[in-house]
């Protein structure tokens, strides 16, 4: 046991020396280890690399030659060739590389080891030649994926794309792996040329082939681009030939709604209602459609929406399957009709139904939200804590944790809120982590310059009014903060809140004024990317000034790569620049 321990220590020490570039110290340790493990190629490789780093090329050559005599391993030709290449003896190096490929020609299965050896030395063209040779000699071997990735590294992106698409079509189980690789390239696609290439190639394949596979792949691509209407066209084509794909259309509708692409979402969900007898799907579609209606409703629309919700609950009944509709109805009664008592009553009856843990948690979360609306903070905290406990590590539990922190903020228990958001800054959800960081900085910055936290208390009051959907009251509170605390840390967050309220009221020029104030007077603040993004959205969607919108999106792309709004800004910037015409 003790000799094993010493051996493991020596291995770690040798690797540490190697990583630090102390090859003189690492070499004797690797040699000692290799003597005890002569068949272990990893340590042999380290001995060769140490000798090469110390420019002891002759010694490395002798060691490779000896190993070649003892073990017939074709990739040793690559090792020998590379040793010559380091000495600038290119002609001899290439002769050895050719010998390695000759062995692959004789036995194509050697391709894996030989190509891997070339790749490790960044001899990508030689690695490619290895795979091509093997596949030519034995067509049953498929190296499309490996060849594609090498073409990508060599900058031949269209060749890479077509090889990846061929590979995924011939090996459908490899489709997720191919899509993951394409996502990486699409994410790094600063000028939009690669996404245009993907679009063009997939469209050509759907036109040339009747295979439903290409419609599914094109739908996936459009979802990556957040073009849900175009994805819907492809999913309809899939559905005609494969009715079992119907759930994909429902998912598409939900995604379009979450991205606030309401026109596309409405179109998709109406199609769902027309084409299904499944009560669960019907309820889901109705839930999404009414949620969208609520999001854009004005006071005069409220009675109609209330009647619709009552009719749906009457149609589908009060049972575990209509839980989401019951929650939506309680939310609407509380936050829009100001009838929190009816909302609580409805949800307390829902909790009496035989619900699973997750459904119970959703109901309790809404009940807690209503308790916050009623300013019954301690009751709300109890419900949020129950959701946290019952669904540990679930996304709902993380949401409950953030809402619990916000409740303590509304309660003006800032120290406790600070402790909670410190933990939530590490949340796996980007949205939750982002909100936690904003709250953390808001409390920390405003506690440092005002020990009584006067501004922070006013801000918490105003923010609660906003939460309660009492926008006019909230606006007056926020405007009062801007008057009393001009130039203080609280100003930036307050400007943003006021800008958003005016935007929702439809007073777009006023909203732009407040966002502009952030950009001019809080250049190092945390709301700069938000101010840029929402200004760009107003210019594009409301004022129809594409040039001003394009300039603002460009600033986000160039200056805020970590922003939550980066992906959408890049997409809109490319569209306005004319990149997405294909």
């Amino acid at each position: 046991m003790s000799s094993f321990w010493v051996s493991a220590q020596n291995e770690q020490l040798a690797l540490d020396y190697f990583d630090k570039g102390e090859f003189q110290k690492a070499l004797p340790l690797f040699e000692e280890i290799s003597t005890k493990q002569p068949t272990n190629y990893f340590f042999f490789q380290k001995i060769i690399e140490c000798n090469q780093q110390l420019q002891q090329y002759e010694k490395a050559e002798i060691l490779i030659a000896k190993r070649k005599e003892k073990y017939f391993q074709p990739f040793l030709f690559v090792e020998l060739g590379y040793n010559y290449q380091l000495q600038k003896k290119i002609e001899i190096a290439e002769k050895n590389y050719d010998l390695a490929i000759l062995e692959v020609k004789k036995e194509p299965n050697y391709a894996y080891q030989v190509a891997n050896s070339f790749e490790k030395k960044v001899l990508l063209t030689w690695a490619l030649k290895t795979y091509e040779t093997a596949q030519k000699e034995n067509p049953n071997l498929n190296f499309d994926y490996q060849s594609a990735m090498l073409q990508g590294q060599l900058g031949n992106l269209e060749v890479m794309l077509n090889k990846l698409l061929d590979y995924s079509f011939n090996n459908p189980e490899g489709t997720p792996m191919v899509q993951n690789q394409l996502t990486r390239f699409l994410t790094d696609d600063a000028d939009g040329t690669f996404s245009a290439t993907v679009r063009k190639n997939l469209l050509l394949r759907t036109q040339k082939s009747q295979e439903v596979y290409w419609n599914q792949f094109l739908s996936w691509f459009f979802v990556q681009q957040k073009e849900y209407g175009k994805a819907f066209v492809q999913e309809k084509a899939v559905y005609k030939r494969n009715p079992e794909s119907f759930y994909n259309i429902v998912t598409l509708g939900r995604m379009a709604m979450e991205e606030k692409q309401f026109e596309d979402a409405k179109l998709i969900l109406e199609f769902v209602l027309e084409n299904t007898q499944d009560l669960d799907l019907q309820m889901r579609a109705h839930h999404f459609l009414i949620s969208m209606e609520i999001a854009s409703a004005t006071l005069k629309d409220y009675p109609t929406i209330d009647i619709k919700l009552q009719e749906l609950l009457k149609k589908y009944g009060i049972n575990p399957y209509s839980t989401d509709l019951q929650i939506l109805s309680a939310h609407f009664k509380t936050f829009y009709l100001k009838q929190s008592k009816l909302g609580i009553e409805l949800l307390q009856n829902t909790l009496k139904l035989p619900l699973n843990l997750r459904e119970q948690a959703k109901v309790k979360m809404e009940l807690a939200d209503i308790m916050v609306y009623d300013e019954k903070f301690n009751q709300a905290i109890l419900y949020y804590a129950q959701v946290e406990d019952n669904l540990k590590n679930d996304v709902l539990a993380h949401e409950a944790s953030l809402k619990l922190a916000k409740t303590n903020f509304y309660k003006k228990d800032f120290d406790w809120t600070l402790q909670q958001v410190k933990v939530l800054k590490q949340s796996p959800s980007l949205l939750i982590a982002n909100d936690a960081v904003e709250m953390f900085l808001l409390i920390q910055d405003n506690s440092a310059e005002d020990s009584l936290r006067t501004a922070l208390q006013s801000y918490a009051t105003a923010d609660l009014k906003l939460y309660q959907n009492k926008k006019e009251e909230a606006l007056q509170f926020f405007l009062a903060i801007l008057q009393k605390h001009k130039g203080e840390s609280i100003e930036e967050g307050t400007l943003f809140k006021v800008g958003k309220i005016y935007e929702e009221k439809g007073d777009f020029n006023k909203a732009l004024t407040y966002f502009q104030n952030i950009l001019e007077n809080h250049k190092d603040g945390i709301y700069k990317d938000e101010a840029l993004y929402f200004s760009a959205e107003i210019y594009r969607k409301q004022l129809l000034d594409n040039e001003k919108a394009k300039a603002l999106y460009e600033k986000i792309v160039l200056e805020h790569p970590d922003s939550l709004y980066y992906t959408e800004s890049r997409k809109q910037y490319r569209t306005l620049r004319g990149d997405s015409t294909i």
Side-chain angles (χ1 to χ4, degrees):
M1 186 71 179
S2 61
S3 62
F4 174 79
W5 175 247
V6 171
S7 176
Q9 275 189 317
N10 280 350
E11 287 176 19
Q12 192 53 55
L13 186 60
L15 290 167
D16 286 345
Y17 281 138
F18 187 87
D19 290 341
K20 289 175 190 169
E22 296 181 34
F23 305 109
Q24 198 81 49
K25 291 179 181 177
L27 182 56
L29 288 168
F30 282 131
E31 286 171 337
E32 187 187 330
I33 296 161
S34 193
T35 306
K36 292 171 186 171
Q37 302 179 44
T39 58
N40 191 320
Y41 185 74
F42 176 78
F43 293 114
F44 171 77
Q45 176 81 41
K46 291 295 175 196
I47 291 169
I48 298 301
E49 286 176 33
C50 283
N51 278 302
Q52 287 169 343
Q53 290 289 345
L54 297 166
Q55 298 186 1
Q56 295 169 178
Y57 301 118
E58 279 185 36
K59 190 179 171 186
E61 185 181 336
I62 292 164
L63 288 167
I64 296 166
K66 276 184 182 175
R67 190 170 183 95
K68 220 150 61 64
E69 281 174 28
K70 198 169 184 182
Y71 308 104
F72 181 71
Q73 295 169 311
F75 60 84
L76 288 169
F77 285 115
V78 179
E79 291 296 342
L80 197 54
Y82 189 65
N83 198 58
Y84 283 119
Q85 185 168 325
L86 291 172
Q87 300 170 71
K88 305 286 191 292
K89 296 176 182 177
I90 305 302
E91 199 175 319
I92 309 174
E94 290 185 348
K95 273 184 186 173
N96 278 281
Y97 298 155
D98 282 329
L99 285 170
I101 287 176
L102 190 63
E103 292 302 326
V104 171
K105 197 171 182 180
K106 292 180 201 167
E107 177 45 77
N109 282 321
Y110 285 143
Y112 297 98
Q113 292 179 334
V114 172
N116 187 42
S117 193
F118 278 129
E119 278 187 70
K120 280 180 180 172
K121 290 162 178 50
V122 202
L123 298 167
L124 304 181
T125 308
W126 285 98
L128 198 56
K129 193 176 176 183
T130 306
Y131 286 129
E132 286 167 354
T133 302
Q135 205 155 335
K136 189 178 174 186
E137 293 302 317
N138 182 0
N140 292 326
L141 290 173
N142 188 322
F143 295 113
D144 280 345
Y145 183 79
Q146 291 90 334
S147 299
M149 297 318 296
L150 286 167
Q151 292 286 5
Q153 287 175 268
L154 289 163
N156 306 322
L157 295 187
E158 190 155 8
V159 179
M160 175 198 79
L161 171 66
N162 280 302
K163 278 191 172 293
L164 283 176
L165 293 178
D166 289 342
Y167 171 80
S168 65
F169 179 71
N170 294 320
N171 304 274
E173 71 283 354
T175 301
M177 183 169 68
V178 167
Q179 289 176 341
N180 283 341
Q181 290 296 347
L182 291 180
T183 301
R184 279 179 51 221
F185 282 91
L186 287 166
T187 304
D188 295 336
D189 182 31
D191 61 1
T193 51
F194 184 66
S195 68
T197 304
V198 176
R199 184 188 301 250
K200 179 187 74 178
N201 278 274
L202 286 172
L203 283 168
L204 281 171
R205 286 174 187 249
T206 53
Q207 287 158 12
K208 286 180 182 176
S209 165
Q210 293 304 304
E211 290 286 348
V212 75
Y213 180 85
W214 296 117
N215 299 99
Q216 291 170 322
F217 211 118
L218 192 52
S219 171
W220 169 85
F221 169 74
F222 285 134
V223 167
Q224 306 312 299
Q225 304 298 102
K226 297 186 178 177
E227 296 179 273
Y228 299 106
K230 290 177 182 176
F232 177 46
V233 172
Q234 299 305 320
E235 288 297 345
K236 274 198 292 185
V238 174
Y239 171 65
K240 279 177 189 171
R241 284 177 279 175
N242 178 17
E244 288 180 10
S245 69
F246 195 71
Y247 273 90
N248 294 347
I249 296 176
V250 179
T251 304
L252 203 58
R254 178 180 54 76
M255 287 193 286
M257 196 186 91
E258 285 171 357
E259 291 295 330
K260 295 186 169 53
Q261 296 185 17
F262 295 134
E263 282 181 34
D264 287 337
K266 191 169 186 285
L267 201 67
I268 296 165
L269 294 166
E270 282 171 351
F271 177 85
V272 170
L273 286 172
E274 286 164 17
N275 289 278
T276 186
Q277 297 303 311
D278 185 309
L279 292 181
D280 182 47
L281 284 182
Q282 284 180 11
M283 278 190 283
R284 269 200 264 175
H286 279 304
H287 180 277
F288 292 148
L289 282 165
I290 291 193
S291 296
M292 283 190 288
E293 213 176 318
I294 290 169
S296 57
T298 57
L299 201 60
K300 63 180 174 57
D301 304 316
Y302 293 174
T304 310
I305 293 171
D306 191 37
I307 289 165
K308 276 188 189 177
L309 280 164
Q310 287 178 45
E311 284 174 352
L312 284 170
L313 285 173
K314 194 175 177 183
K315 179 181 176 180
Y316 295 111
I318 302 293
N319 55 58
Y321 303 104
S322 65
T323 303
D324 285 345
L325 279 173
Q326 292 170 59
I327 290 170
L328 184 62
S329 182
H331 184 86
F332 186 73
K333 284 188 187 302
T334 301
F335 290 88
Y336 292 84
L337 301 179
K338 314 299 180 195
Q339 297 171 351
S340 59
K341 195 177 176 186
L342 289 177
I344 290 168
E345 209 173 282
L346 177 55
L347 292 180
Q348 283 174 338
N349 286 330
T350 308
L351 276 180
K352 291 172 187 172
L353 299 169
L355 305 175
N356 62 37
L357 262 182
R358 191 171 175 76
E359 294 295 336
Q360 279 180 26
K362 281 157 77 175
V363 176
K364 285 179 178 179
M365 191 90 104
E366 188 61 46
L367 258 174
D369 290 352
I370 295 174
M371 295 300 176
V372 174
Y373 175 91
D374 277 345
E375 299 182 34
K376 295 172 181 171
F377 300 125
N378 291 334
Q379 284 173 266
I381 286 166
L382 281 173
Y383 278 121
Y384 288 137
Q386 283 176 27
V387 175
E388 273 185 320
D389 289 342
N390 294 337
L391 289 177
K392 281 184 172 62
N393 298 322
D394 187 283
V395 65
L396 268 180
H398 292 301
E399 282 175 33
S401 300
L402 182 67
K403 287 186 172 189
L404 204 154
K406 282 185 175 174
T407 304
N408 278 312
F409 181 75
Y410 298 140
K411 199 182 167 189
K412 297 172 186 171
D413 191 343
F414 302 124
D415 290 324
W416 185 229
T417 307
L418 206 56
Q419 292 305 311
Q420 290 169 308
V421 291
K422 258 185 198 174
V423 177
L424 287 168
K425 285 195 296 177
Q426 310 303 321
S427 170
S429 160
L430 278 177
L431 284 170
I432 289 172
N434 193 60
D435 283 353
V437 168
E438 282 183 8
M439 205 182 297
F440 179 82
L441 292 172
L442 177 75
I443 297 169
Q444 195 179 53
D445 293 350
N446 289 286
S447 301
E449 64 182 31
D450 175 12
S451 58
L452 295 174
R453 292 167 164 170
T454 314
L456 203 54
Q457 291 193 45
S458 301
Y459 187 97
T461 302
D463 210 26
L464 176 61
K465 295 293 176 193
L466 195 56
Y467 173 85
Q468 292 167 323
N469 205 19
K470 298 172 181 175
K471 287 178 187 168
E472 282 305 321
E473 285 182 59
L475 179 60
Q476 295 314 312
F477 274 109
F478 282 127
L479 289 171
I481 292 170
L482 289 177
Q483 277 187 324
K484 289 178 192 171
H485 302 278
K486 189 172 173 59
E488 294 178 23
S489 294
I490 204 81
E491 186 179 54
E492 187 195 3
T494 309
L495 287 167
F496 180 68
K497 293 281 187 183
V498 172
K500 287 300 290 173
I501 294 171
Y502 278 124
E503 183 189 346
E504 285 169 27
K505 280 161 66 77
D507 195 338
F508 302 114
N509 287 313
K510 232 173 193 177
L512 286 170
T513 304
Y514 284 92
F515 294 148
Q516 190 58 34
N517 193 327
I518 293 171
L519 297 174
E520 287 174 3
N521 301 311
H522 298 274
K523 290 177 182 175
D524 299 323
I526 60 168
Y527 288 96
K528 190 181 173 187
D529 60 322
E530 274 102 335
L532 286 167
Y533 178 75
F534 289 109
S535 297
E537 290 282 279
I538 289 170
Y539 280 121
R540 180 174 67 89
K541 292 179 181 174
Q542 311 300 338
L543 305 181
L544 308 179
D545 189 334
N546 285 345
E547 282 308 305
K548 282 186 178 172
K550 185 172 76 172
L552 292 165
Y553 287 129
E554 185 181 23
K555 278 183 87 68
I556 297 171
V557 171
L558 296 176
E559 297 172 16
H560 300 276
D562 297 331
S563 171
L564 283 173
Y565 306 102
Y566 174 80
T567 304
E568 183 61 21
S569 298
R570 189 177 60 172
K571 178 195 157 191
Q572 294 303 338
Y573 172 62
R574 287 175 185 167
T575 304
L576 294 174
R577 201 176 62 174
D579 293 348
S580 299
T581 52
I582 297 168

